Amino acid sequence: MANSDLPPLPTYTCRRATTPITVDGALDEAAWEQAEQMQLVETVTGDEPRYPTVVRALWDDTYLYVGFEAEDPYIWGTLKERDEPLWDEEVVEVFLDDDSDEWSFLEFEVSPNNVIVDLAVFRRGGKSHELFCWDCPDLQTAVQVDGKVNSFDGTDNSWTTEIAIPFDQCMTAPHIPPRDGDRWRANFYRIDRAHDADEYSAWSPTGEIQFHMPNRFGYVVFSEE
C-alpha cells in the first residue's frame, strides 16, 4: 500500500477503569467489558488478517492497561530472557508517544511465554535508536494460553495478554496521570509466525513491514467516563 493510500489515523477513546484490575491475563474484570475494541488489520494492506486480534485499553491514576486477544492455531515462542529479540518470534506490542512528538516513544513487547521487551526509542532521519539498558519499573504483564505453546499440532485456539504500563515512566507526557481529554499517540501490533507464512498486523496500518513509524501512530484520548 502506498502512503497516499493509507487510511486516516484512527482515534481510540480510552475509558477510566470502573473496577480494580488484576493483571493475570484473564481480562475478566467488569471494567474490560466497558472498554471499546480495536481490531488489528494487516499492516501493509489494511486488509482483515487471517488470525484476528482484538485490543482494548483502560486507565486509572497509576497505569495504562492494554489487553490483547489473539486467535492463533499455532502458538509459538522459545525465547526466555528479558530483552531478547522477541520480534523474531510471536509477539504483541504497544508503542506509546506520550507527547506526540513523532520522535521519542516507548515500546513494550510480550510473547506467549510472558517474556518482555521494554525499550525507549528515539527515531530521526529514518533511523531508530533503541535503549535496551532501560527496564521499565513496575511494569506488569501476564499471559493466558488456550492451548499449548510449541505444540505445533494446530489445536491451539488463542492467547490473551494483559499489560499494565506505569504512568510515572511516561516522562514526556503533558500530565501524569492523564487528564480528561488528553491525547497521546500510540500503535498496537502483533507478529504471528504461522506454519506457512508470517503475518504482521497493526491498529493503524503502516503500509510496509515496519512498526517504528511514529507518523502512523493513531490517537488515544483519555476519558473520565
Side-chain angles (χ1 to χ4, degrees), residues 13-27:
T13 299
C14 185
R15 304 193 185 282
R16 178 180 279 275
T18 55
T19 57
I21 293 176
T22 300
V23 180
D24 56 8
L27 304 182

Side-chain angles (χ1 to χ4, degrees), residues 5-189:
D5 298 326
L6 290 171
L9 299 177
T11 298
Y12 180 81
T13 299
C14 185
R15 304 193 185 282
R16 178 180 279 275
T18 55
T19 57
I21 293 176
T22 300
V23 180
D24 56 8
L27 304 182
D28 55 359
E29 289 86 1
W32 284 115
E33 296 298 322
Q34 306 304 315
E36 298 179 13
Q37 295 186 357
M38 292 174 263
Q39 300 282 346
L40 300 194
V41 298
E42 204 281 327
T43 197
V44 176
T45 64
D47 294 339
E48 183 177 343
R50 290 183 303 167
Y51 302 125
T53 309
V54 174
V55 184
R56 290 176 283 176
L58 295 164
W59 67 287
D60 59 22
D61 285 345
T62 307
Y63 288 102
L64 172 66
Y65 301 93
V66 182
F68 289 82
E69 298 171 278
E71 293 186 19
D72 195 344
Y74 299 92
I75 302 172
W76 175 65
T78 66
L79 299 175
K80 301 295 184 181
E81 300 297 327
R82 188 173 192 154
D83 289 339
E84 288 192 290
L86 298 183
W87 52 89
D88 289 336
E89 299 191 346
E90 295 198 324
V91 72
V92 294
E93 308 184 16
V94 178
F95 285 49
L96 290 178
D97 180 359
D98 52 14
D99 66 352
S100 303
D101 65 356
E102 297 187 8
W103 176 67
S104 60
F105 51 92
L106 301 179
E107 176 178 347
F108 304 93
E109 305 183 15
V110 184
S111 78
N113 291 313
N114 197 31
V115 180
I116 66 173
V117 166
D118 46 355
L119 303 172
V121 184
F122 301 89
R123 184 169 177 83
R124 179 165 287 174
K127 296 182 179 180
S128 293
H129 305 275
E130 299 95 353
L131 298 184
F132 283 89
C133 59
W134 176 70
D135 286 343
C136 181
D138 300 320
L139 176 69
Q140 299 181 44
T141 68
V143 175
Q144 291 201 12
V145 174
D146 184 2
K148 185 177 181 180
V149 179
N150 299 329
S151 67
F152 303 116
D153 60 5
T155 62
D156 300 329
N157 293 306
S158 63
W159 54 291
T160 303
T161 307
E162 200 166 19
I163 307 170
I165 300 168
F167 281 130
D168 64 8
Q169 293 301 301
C170 300
M171 298 297 185
T172 59
H175 308 110
I176 297 296
R179 297 177 183 174
D180 185 56
D182 278 1
R183 187 173 71 165
W184 294 9
R185 300 290 296 278
N187 214 344
F188 306 91
Y189 303 107

Side-chain angles (χ1 to χ4, degrees), residues 191-202:
I191 301 174
D192 181 79
R193 307 291 186 184
H195 66 291
D196 56 347
D198 297 337
E199 184 170 68
Y200 299 81
S201 50

